[in-house]
Amino acid sequence: DPDMPFVPSIPEDQFILVEEGDPAVIPCRTSDPEAQVTLVNSLDKSVYALYDAKQGFIGNFPAGSYTCKTMVKGVEFKSDEFLIYIIRATSQLPVEIEALKTVYKTGETIVVTCVVFDNEVVNLQWNYPGKVKEKGLIKLDDIKVPSQKLVYTLTIPEASVKDTGDYECTARHATKEVKENKKVVITVHDKGFVHLEPQFSPLEAVNLHEVKNFVVDVQ
């Protein structure tokens, strides 16, 4: 099609996630398999790479913006802009879950964190007793220094006894079929309690000038 030398691309094709060191495909395909196509970066400088009319340009590209160009009867055409993002992602998926405490009273705020190490892009889901009511507030902190880690924090305000149960986070790798899940058990009591257990009898005898200790276990 001389009026449409580049096959239209869908928006999902224009954002390309690539793991460090892996080759990428910039999918600017042509309707004419014999067309001469040039790849340029955001500075409009030509970038050398292998071209396949059925796939596009294949190579190891730095992160940035790329556009393809071709000529049809002396008229220059440009493809859509393609954005390459380089992500850090190990083949393993180290995950840790942490709760500041696991026993709460009604009305307190439950806080659970799930940390994913050495991976910049993951899909993380929470499962917890109040999920159906969307009771939890989820926050993400992307920390890059001194090392890469994603810190997902789940907060349950005004906890009730119904919030007792398993709190589980499941992380899925962005580009590989790898997942990891961790869980912690949280207990919420209707009210606080103290349990006293004396380590002595109801009646104790003591001699004159004798020193005697009375011990009580408190929980």
Side-chain angles (χ1 to χ4, degrees):
D1 182 355
D3 295 322
M4 188 70 70
F6 287 108
V7 178
S9 58
I10 60 175
E12 288 83 356
D13 287 342
Q14 293 172 240
F15 296 90
I16 305 164
L17 292 178
V18 190
E19 290 184 30
E20 283 181 321
D22 285 355
V25 176
I26 298 176
C28 52
R29 298 174 294 122
T30 55
S31 58
D32 176 6
E34 303 301 323
Q36 299 298 309
V37 185
T38 304
L39 179 66
V40 297
N41 59 21
S42 58
L43 301 176
D44 207 34
K45 291 186 177 181
S46 296
V47 177
Y48 175 77
L50 175 68
Y51 183 72
D52 181 333
K54 294 181 180 180
Q55 296 185 64
F57 284 98
I58 305 167
N60 291 83
F61 306 105
S65 168
Y66 295 86
T67 307
C68 303
K69 294 181 179 181
T70 190
M71 299 287 290
V72 178
K73 297 179 181 179
V75 179
E76 183 180 81
F77 287 83
K78 291 184 177 181
S79 71
D80 293 322
E81 182 182 42
F82 297 92
L83 298 172
I84 290 184
Y85 295 91
I86 306 296
I87 60 173
R88 188 178 306 164
T90 59
S91 57
Q92 301 300 315
L93 201 55
V95 178
E96 288 184 4
I97 194 168
E98 182 182 60
L100 294 178
K101 58 182 185 175
T102 56
V103 179
Y104 290 84
K105 289 188 298 181
T106 295
E108 291 187 321
T109 299
I110 298 173
V111 179
V112 183
T113 58
C114 195
V115 185
V116 182
F117 298 91
D118 302 324
N119 285 269
E120 285 187 288
V121 182
V122 298
N123 177 20
L124 188 132
Q125 292 181 324
W126 286 98
N127 277 311
Y128 57 97
K131 185 175 181 179
V132 175
K133 296 183 178 180
E134 297 183 348
K135 191 173 181 180
L137 306 173
I138 299 171
K139 174 188 170 188
L140 168 62
D141 291 307
D142 186 355
I143 299 171
K144 299 186 182 300
V145 178
S147 60
Q148 172 66 43
K149 62 182 178 180
L150 298 173
V151 181
Y152 296 85
T153 304
L154 173 66
T155 304
I156 311 290
E158 296 292 328
S160 70
V161 175
K162 292 181 180 180
D163 293 308
T164 294
D166 292 345
Y167 285 70
E168 183 178 51
C169 66
T170 302
R172 287 180 171 81
H173 204 287
T175 58
K176 295 180 175 65
E177 291 297 321
V178 179
K179 75 173 184 177
E180 185 72 31
N181 68 298
K182 293 290 175 72
K183 77 174 181 178
V184 63
V185 179
I186 300 289
T187 304
V188 182
H189 292 286
D190 187 37
K191 57 185 178 180
F193 59 87
V194 176
H195 179 69
L196 302 178
E197 188 172 344
Q199 302 296 311
F200 49 86
S201 304
L203 180 63
E204 293 279 350
V206 60
N207 295 321
L208 185 64
H209 303 306
E210 179 187 354
V211 175
K212 190 155 189 173
N213 292 321
F214 294 88
V215 178
V216 178
D217 282 346
V218 183
Q219 294 183 351

